């Protein structure tokens, strides 16, 4: 831990060590931790429970990891938060109010190496991993902006969370800390296009979060075309890792499948997907493609075709639903972040 590491990335123990090193009493650590992690107060000058001198000292030494640059709200209430990072890079989070929930969609990397054909985040490849504070602060800043805690967290923003797994796990430990936001792991979803061994690593972490596997194809050939940045030949292994995760955690796993006309929406695709997922504590979430400007050739199937695909899965014993998209007018559908802004800059 560097002496100027942002507060939002520190555990209570790390913060205590840091304060002791500064010659401060250890009990201050909890006051600071709670201000940061519970209320999203990231500027030490605003930590009114601390003596003025300590506030100033901390403010001089420590800067937050992120700066809130812009907030944009779409007609359906979806709100996009744009953050600046210390190296000038940008990331985004989205807040999606729906069915009495307030879900925040969080980024884990700048850019993404997976390059799903339909996804804006992967167009420029991976730029870098986010550190713990950069991940954690997205939720804290949105919490401060809202005046209350979001109800759910999904790691479906920019990036592939399992390729930055240790920082993602550390951020989740902060969000679930009872002296922090006190999030239930059941209300946190890690979404991954996947590496089976990393899914196992997440199971071993004991966090008990929900996982979503971005499959998008039921066989290796189709998947290599639609998810080119993911190592090939692992479609089945990925679903099996998901099934192991479900067994180990006792929690159903979601498989996400973006439906694209003529790409992965044929009856044979539905049958192959059913063969992979039925009877394994896997729920399939079908998502009609939200059009993206970099691939105008890709189209969502008709409503009838999408419903037909859904029925075909259900008839084969698969638990499945068809999702509707949100935030399209500000390109803030979860998982579609940041490219447009990056191109404007
Ligand atoms: N790398 C992780 C996290 C990114 S979220 C992962 O792949 O899971 C990826 C999800 O965003 C996809 O599964 C899909 O649900 C959604 N998504 C991204 N672009 C989309 C688009 N153009 N239309 C519909 N859904 C999209």
């Amino acid at each position: 831990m560097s002496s100027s590491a942002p507060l939002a990335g520190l555990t209570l123990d790390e913060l205590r060590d840091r304060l002791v090193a500064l010659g401060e009493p250890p009990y201050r650590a909890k006051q600071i931790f709670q201000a940061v992690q519970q209320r999203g107060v990231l500027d030490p000058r605003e930590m009114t429970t601390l003596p003025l001198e300590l506030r100033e000292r901390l403010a001089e030494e420590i800067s937050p990891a992120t700066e809130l640059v812009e907030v944009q709200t779409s007609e359906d209430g979806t709100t996009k938060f744009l953050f600046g990072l210390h190296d000038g890079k940008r990331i985004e989070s989205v807040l999606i109010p729906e069915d009495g929930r307030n879900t925040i969609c969080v980024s884990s990397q700048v850019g993404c190496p997976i390059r799903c054909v339909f996804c804006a985040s992967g167009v420029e490849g991976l730029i870098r991993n986010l550190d713990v504070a950069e991940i954690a602060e997205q939720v804290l800043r949105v919490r401060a902006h809202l005046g209350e805690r979001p109800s759910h967290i999904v790691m479906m923003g920019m990036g592939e969370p399992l390729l930055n797994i240790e920082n993602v796990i550390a951020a989740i430990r902060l969000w679930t800390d009872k002296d922090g936001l006190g999030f239930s792991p059941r209300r946190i979803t890690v979404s991954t296009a996947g590496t089976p061994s990393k899914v196992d690593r997440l199971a071993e972490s004991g966090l008990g979060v929900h996982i979503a596997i971005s499959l998008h194809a039921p066989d290796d050939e189709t998947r290599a075309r639609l998810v080119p940045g993911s190592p090939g030949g692992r479609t089945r292994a990925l679903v099996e890792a998901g099934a192991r995760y479900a067994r180990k955690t006792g929690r159903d796993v979601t498989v996400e499948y973006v439906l694209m006309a003529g790409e992965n929406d044929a009856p044979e695709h539905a049958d192959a997907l059913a063969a992979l997922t039925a009877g394994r504590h896997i729920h399939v979430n079908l998502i009609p493609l939200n059009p993206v400007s970099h691939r105008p050739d890709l189209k969502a199937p008709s409503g009838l075709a999408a419903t037909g695909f859904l029925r075909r899965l259900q008839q084969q014993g698969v638990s499945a639903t068809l999702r509707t998209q949100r935030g399209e007018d500000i390109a803030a559908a979860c998982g579609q972040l940041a490219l447009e802004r990056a191109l404007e800059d």
Side-chain angles (χ1 to χ4, degrees), residues 112 114 118-119 155-157 159-161 191-193 212 214 216 256 258 287-290 292 323 325 334-336:
C112 184
I114 306 289
F118 51 81
C119 181
M155 303 230 48
M156 290 192 189
E160 169 47 48
S191 181
T192 178
S214 293
H216 313 311
E256 301 200 274
V258 171
I287 305 145
L289 174 81
N290 207 9
V292 280
R323 184 166 93 185
Q325 282 287 357
C334 197
Q336 280 189 263

Side-chain angles (χ1 to χ4, degrees), residues 94-337:
V94 180
L95 189 73
I96 307 159
E98 198 168 25
D99 301 335
R101 297 175 167 203
N102 231 345
T103 301
I104 175 174
C105 178
V106 174
S107 294
S108 58
Q109 297 181 316
V110 185
C112 184
I114 306 289
R115 304 194 317 276
C116 299
V117 285
F118 51 81
C119 181
S121 303
V123 172
E124 292 182 287
L126 174 66
I127 298 171
R128 70 170 172 87
N129 278 339
L130 296 182
D131 65 26
V132 183
E134 288 167 334
I135 299 170
E137 262 184 38
Q138 295 172 62
V139 174
L140 300 179
R141 287 210 182 271
V142 170
R143 186 252 167 266
H145 182 89
L146 272 184
E148 62 180 15
R149 205 184 71 168
S151 64
H152 293 75
I153 298 174
V154 294
M155 303 230 48
M156 290 192 189
M158 292 172 79
E160 169 47 48
L162 293 195
L163 292 179
N164 187 15
I165 188 166
E166 298 310 325
N167 289 345
V168 165
I169 288 175
I172 292 172
R173 291 204 196 285
L174 289 168
W175 293 328
T176 53
D177 193 302
K178 63 177 181 357
D179 290 314
L181 283 173
F183 247 90
S184 160
R186 290 165 185 268
R187 290 173 167 226
I188 300 176
T189 300
V190 174
S191 181
T192 178
T195 309
S197 65
K198 299 273 170 70
V199 172
D200 292 334
R201 163 78 186 96
L202 198 60
E204 282 154 22
S205 75
L207 282 175
V209 293
H210 184 70
I211 62 164
I213 295 180
S214 293
L215 202 65
H216 313 311
D219 61 82
D220 290 340
E221 199 191 323
T222 312
R223 197 158 196 269
R225 199 158 34 79
L226 301 179
V227 190
S230 179
R234 292 187 180 169
T235 311
R236 174 175 295 276
L238 197 50
V239 175
E240 279 165 2
R244 279 198 298 280
Y245 189 92
R247 272 201 307 276
K248 179 147 187 168
T249 61
R251 200 141 303 167
D252 276 14
V253 165
T254 302
V255 157
E256 301 200 274
Y257 194 98
V258 171
L259 278 173
M260 288 163 274
E263 300 286 342
N264 63 355
D265 66 338
E268 306 81 74
H269 293 121
D271 294 348
L273 184 59
L276 272 182
T277 56
R280 305 185 101 165
H281 296 283
I282 289 173
H283 176 84
V284 175
N285 191 12
L286 300 174
I287 305 145
L289 174 81
N290 207 9
V292 280
S293 53
H294 70 282
R295 283 293 302 265
D297 56 313
L298 296 175
K299 306 256 190 295
S302 69
L304 208 61
T307 314
F309 197 96
L310 174 70
R311 294 259 158 73
R312 205 167 170 109
L313 290 177
Q314 290 171 334
Q315 279 158 5
Q316 295 176 70
V318 179
S319 151
T321 42
L322 184 60
R323 184 166 93 185
T324 53
Q325 282 287 357
R326 309 264 303 175
E328 291 178 36
D329 59 324
I330 54 166
C334 197
Q336 280 189 263
L337 301 180

